[in-house]
Amino acid sequence: MAEVNTGIAFFTEIEIVKDVNGTETTITESVLQAFGTFAEISTADFALLSATAATERYAAFETFLNNKYPGLDISNIVTNAPIAEDLLLCPTT
C-alpha cells in the first residue's frame, strides 16, 4: 500500500519551563521517547501511526508528564490539539 499525505500534523515535543526561586529551566519532553508501557519510536514510525494509536499515545504521555511533574496539568497548558490539519506543513497530494 502506498503512503498518502493526509495533511494531518502530529506534535512530538513539549517544552516545560520551571521557575525555581526566580531561576527558569526549560525542559523538553518528547512523545517519541520511551515512557510507561510505550517504547521509543522514530519520527518516521510515529508519522505512520493511525490517529487512534497516536491519540492513545498522547493520552498516556499526558498522564506520564502530569505524574512526573507534580502540579503540572498539561490539559491546561497545551492550547493546540496534538493532532491537527496543517495543509502548509503537510500538503495533501
Side-chain angles (χ1 to χ4, degrees):
M1 181 166 75
E3 295 176 13
V4 176
N5 190 339
T6 61
I8 304 297
F10 297 82
F11 94 80
T12 58
E13 291 184 341
I14 185 169
E15 286 187 349
I16 301 166
V17 179
K18 289 178 67 173
D19 185 334
V20 179
N21 298 325
T23 302
E24 287 189 353
T25 304
T26 301
I27 302 163
T28 301
E29 295 278 1
S30 175
V31 73
L32 303 177
Q33 70 193 19
F35 62 91
T37 61
F38 291 87
E40 184 175 352
I41 189 171
S42 70
T43 303
D45 287 339
F46 188 72
L48 296 175
L49 291 179
S50 68
T52 301
T55 299
E56 181 180 314
R57 190 173 179 107
Y58 284 132
F61 185 60
E62 182 176 324
T63 300
F64 166 76
L65 292 178
N66 286 336
N67 289 331
K68 184 174 181 179
Y69 302 102
L72 182 68
D73 184 358
I74 295 295
S75 62
N76 286 332
I77 296 170
V78 177
T79 56
N80 297 325
I83 302 173
E85 183 176 71
D86 188 331
L87 297 177
L88 296 175
L89 179 62
C90 307
T92 56
T93 55

